Amino acid sequence: MAAGKMDSEPIQVETPSVISPDSDGGGYDCDFVQSPPDDLLCKICHYPARNAILSVCCGHNFCKYCLDCYLHSEVIDHSNCPYCRENFQSVPDKRTTRLVFNLQVFCPNKSLGCSWVGELRSMEDHLNKNSTASNIGCLFTEICCSNECGVVIQRRLLEDHLKLECELRQVKCEYCDSTGSYQWIIGSHQQECLKYPMECPNHCEVGHVRREEMNVHLKECPLAIVKCPFAVVGCDIVVRREERIGHMKEAVEQHVECNKEAIMELERAKTALEEQLQTKEQELADIKDMTKKFKEYLRATIDEKDRELGNLRKRADVLEERLKVNDQVVAASTNEIEHFKKVIDEKGKELNEMKNNTDILKEQMTAKALEVANMKEMTESLEKVVDDNSKELNEMRTNAKERDQVAQESTKQLKEMFEQELMKLREEMKTTKQQLQHQVEINEQLQQDLQCYDIPKLLPHLIGTGSQVIPFVIKLTEFENVKKTSNCWQSPAFYTSSEGYKMCLKIRPNGLGLGSGTHVSVDAYLMSGEHDDQLTWPVKGSLSVQLFNQISDSNHGGLVKFRFDGAGIACKRVKGREISANGVYVDKFIFHKSLYAIDDKYQYFKNGCIFLQVTDFK
């Protein structure tokens, strides 16, 4: 295309790729049949003006897009005309736009073979649709495949592409009735198509067989490699199917020997199984016998506890009788004291009467002094008697006071003695009642345990409880009361073995150290034992303790190991005292929330009790 040149340097504007007359952009960059007149060209981009704008000052045309770019530029004084640099004013130029639309142009696909020539205004219609009745657009325009296979192709070649070349075209499998894309059919479908012909892997005379029939064919293929029918009895020869009969005829003796060995092996296996069966039957009989003995042991234990309970009740009755007798003794002593008081009162009255009589006699003797002058000796004798009686009376009074004091002290001592004896009897009665109640709770707990636990599984733990030798189960009753009233509870003593170290545990329900208030803490202490002279000191080993699950013989919790590392007082032999001054501590044995938690598999706190199981010492 020829275009006029300007003396001044034109502003460069990017030429749009869209050729639609209505689109926004610079001038039309098309292959015109004849060079456009110079008065139709934009003075900025030098292409036929799109949406032409006429400059009033100089009469030249500009594209609307190019002029807008010029007016909005920040580096150019856009108040002046871009061509003549005068004060700029503009109006739309519809005449120029119409003349540009009338220009004759070639199809953009001319180089590809399109021979279309027409006005510029018709180019968009030509490219999008043809003016003929076929209405398919320019045949040389490159478009994307309608199946979205990714191929860009000329419109005239699209039909052949869709029928013969497109990977996503719909085709039918030549072996079955399946329909799908060509890519799927020749790919994954033919890898699975049951009708697809496959060559026999043995290359037999049949040649190709359908995939769905291949398994049946391989079971009958004469060239297939198969095992000898006597492989189950030891023949390891493999031959082709058609040669199997010949092999069986040739190897009759070998097969007979294999059968003999197989039969002998079966006989040996049968004998071994019978021996195992006998062993298992014997073990089952032993288990039944042990279970029976254990039930008898439990029944005997319960009977023994019942007898002890009866003895305790009898002892309580005897103590009640003794208490009644003591009450009677106290009553008798009280009566005797009252009798002593009455005797003293009577003696006092007699002394008063004697005093009164003495005074009367003195008056009579004074009045009759003259009359009884001859009776002076008698009077002196009588006065002596009176004096003696007075002394005796004074002595009696003194003795009476002393006896009264002795009686009061005796009465006080008797009362104190009786009160102490009564307190002892009451404490003994209270202790006996608590023991009776505790024994009843133990019996009830034992019966509950017998109902809840599997007897064969619980046997080792019950045996350990009785012997006080590991394994050993410790029961802490009234856990909540211990938690409220005491900081520590000491377990019964136990031995790590029949001739091992003697130990005990101290349980702190409220915790200690890092576990204070949130956990149950447990301490392990050495004690002075019977076998200490034969043992190795200091102690080295780990004592394993866990919280016992009261629902079943599994899911025990809080397993900890008290490590005696041979260092410190806690590991040395205990001398001069019953228990070591220091122990091995576990501050966080079990979390309080975990202790009180209840699940269908475990429950550690039940009926106010917890159990600690000492499992081993290694």
Side-chain angles (χ1 to χ4, degrees), residues 48 93 104 121 159 295 388 393 497 528:
D93 190 353
Q104 296 288 316
R121 64 168 51 88
E159 184 176 358
K295 289 182 178 179
D388 293 337
L393 180 60
S497 62
S528 177

Side-chain angles (χ1 to χ4, degrees), residues 476 487-491 505-509 520-522 612:
L476 174 54
N487 293 326
C488 180
W489 178 86
Q490 182 173 325
S491 74
L505 300 180
K506 288 188 178 181
I507 296 92
R508 304 178 189 271
V520 176
S521 300
V522 180
L612 297 180

Side-chain angles (χ1 to χ4, degrees), residues 233-493:
V233 295
C235 183
D236 55 356
I237 302 299
V238 292
V239 296
R240 294 186 182 276
R241 183 175 278 109
E242 62 184 3
E243 299 174 354
R244 184 170 56 177
I245 296 176
H247 164 71
M248 292 175 64
K249 291 180 180 180
E250 295 175 357
V252 172
E253 295 181 358
Q254 180 182 354
H255 292 164
V256 170
E257 291 297 328
C258 290
N259 283 331
K260 288 182 179 179
E261 293 179 0
I263 292 171
M264 293 176 66
E265 184 64 28
L266 289 174
E267 289 293 335
R268 288 192 292 271
K270 179 182 178 183
T271 302
L273 289 175
E274 289 177 350
E275 292 177 354
Q276 292 180 4
L277 179 60
Q278 292 178 356
T279 303
K280 294 298 181 182
E281 289 177 349
Q282 183 62 36
E283 291 178 356
L284 180 60
D286 293 341
I287 291 173
K288 289 182 178 179
D289 184 56
M290 183 171 60
T291 303
K292 181 179 179 181
K293 291 180 179 179
F294 179 67
K295 289 182 178 179
E296 293 176 354
Y297 164 75
L298 289 179
R299 178 53 57 191
T301 302
I302 294 173
D303 294 339
E304 181 65 24
K305 296 300 180 182
D306 289 338
R307 287 193 294 271
E308 292 179 0
L309 180 61
N311 294 332
L312 290 173
R313 287 175 177 171
K314 291 179 180 179
R315 186 179 177 186
D317 294 336
V318 172
L319 291 174
E320 288 180 355
E321 292 295 332
R322 289 179 60 186
L323 182 61
K324 290 180 181 179
V325 172
N326 289 331
D327 291 337
Q328 293 175 358
V329 171
V330 171
S333 300
T334 304
N335 293 331
E336 186 176 357
I337 292 170
E338 293 295 332
H339 175 68
F340 287 157
K341 287 182 177 180
K342 289 180 180 180
V343 171
I344 293 171
D345 292 338
E346 291 177 354
K347 293 294 182 182
K349 290 179 180 179
E350 291 179 357
L351 289 174
N352 291 329
E353 290 178 355
M354 292 178 70
K355 184 177 181 181
N356 293 330
N357 293 331
T358 304
D359 294 336
I360 292 171
L361 289 174
K362 285 182 177 181
E363 292 177 354
Q364 291 177 356
M365 289 171 62
T366 304
K368 295 181 178 183
L370 297 174
E371 296 178 357
V372 294
N374 55 351
M375 298 178 69
K376 184 177 180 179
E377 294 178 359
M378 184 183 296
T379 303
E380 291 175 356
S381 177
L382 182 61
E383 287 178 353
K384 186 177 180 179
V385 171
V386 172
D387 291 336
D388 293 337
N389 288 334
S390 297
K391 291 179 180 179
E392 185 178 354
L393 180 60
N394 292 329
E395 289 177 359
M396 290 178 67
R397 286 178 179 175
T398 304
N399 293 334
K401 290 181 180 179
E402 291 177 355
R403 290 180 65 184
D404 189 19
Q405 292 178 357
V406 171
Q408 290 179 357
E409 291 177 358
S410 299
T411 303
K412 184 177 180 182
Q413 291 177 357
L414 285 173
K415 286 183 179 180
E416 291 177 352
M417 181 178 67
F418 290 148
E419 287 177 356
Q420 291 177 359
E421 187 68 18
L422 184 60
M423 288 295 294
K424 289 181 181 179
L425 290 174
R426 288 177 178 174
E427 289 293 330
E428 188 173 358
M429 286 290 294
K430 183 177 179 181
T431 303
T432 304
K433 288 181 180 179
Q434 289 179 353
Q435 291 176 353
L436 289 173
Q437 183 66 26
H438 180 61
Q439 190 63 39
V440 170
E441 291 177 355
I442 291 175
N443 290 340
E444 290 177 353
Q445 184 65 37
L446 181 60
Q447 293 176 359
Q448 292 177 4
D449 292 343
L450 289 175
Q451 295 174 358
C452 297
Y453 286 98
D454 187 3
I455 291 176
K457 291 183 179 179
L458 191 60
L459 179 60
H461 304 296
L462 293 177
I463 293 175
T465 304
S467 62
Q468 296 187 352
V469 176
I470 295 177
F472 180 57
V473 177
I474 301 171
K475 180 179 180 181
L476 174 54
T477 60
E478 299 182 353
F479 178 81
E480 290 296 328
N481 293 335
V482 175
K483 184 178 179 182
K484 292 178 181 178
T485 61
S486 177
N487 293 326
C488 180
W489 178 86
Q490 182 173 325
S491 74

Side-chain angles (χ1 to χ4, degrees), residues 552-563:
S552 65
D553 194 35
S554 60
N555 298 317
H556 302 309
L559 177 62
V560 296
K561 292 184 180 296
F562 297 86
R563 304 187 184 279

Side-chain angles (χ1 to χ4, degrees), residues 63-192:
C63 296
K64 184 178 182 302
Y65 175 79
C66 297
L67 186 60
D68 288 342
C69 292
Y70 169 79
L71 295 176
H72 291 87
S73 175
E74 296 180 356
V75 297
I76 300 175
D77 184 5
H78 48 72
S79 62
N80 296 327
C81 175
Y83 187 81
C84 65
R85 308 303 185 192
E86 298 294 334
N87 189 19
F88 180 67
Q89 291 182 356
S90 62
V91 293
D93 190 353
K94 295 184 178 180
R95 174 181 173 279
T96 300
T97 300
R98 186 172 60 255
L99 292 175
V100 170
F101 283 166
N102 292 335
L103 294 175
Q104 296 288 316
V105 295
F106 292 104
C107 177
N109 299 320
K110 176 182 177 182
S111 60
L112 300 176
C114 182
S115 59
W116 179 85
V117 177
E119 294 179 349
L120 178 62
R121 64 168 51 88
S122 302
M123 182 182 294
E124 190 71 20
D125 291 338
H126 166 69
L127 293 176
N128 294 330
K129 60 181 180 179
N130 204 327
S131 58
T132 62
S134 61
N135 204 25
I136 60 174
C138 178
L139 296 178
F140 294 91
T141 300
E142 292 184 343
I143 59 175
C144 294
C145 174
S146 58
N147 289 333
E148 299 182 356
C149 68
V151 173
V152 178
I153 194 171
Q154 294 181 5
R155 184 178 281 114
R156 63 188 180 87
L157 304 175
L158 179 61
E159 184 176 358
D160 292 338
H161 170 75
L162 292 175
K163 290 180 179 180
L164 303 175
E165 300 176 355
C166 182
E167 293 288 331
L168 300 180
R169 68 184 185 275
Q170 295 295 311
V171 296
K172 183 178 180 181
C173 178
E174 60 181 315
Y175 306 110
C176 66
D177 295 333
S178 299
T179 302
S181 66
Y182 174 79
Q183 186 181 46
W184 177 73
I185 291 293
I186 65 172
S188 58
H189 172 70
Q190 287 190 358
Q191 298 294 327
E192 301 174 354

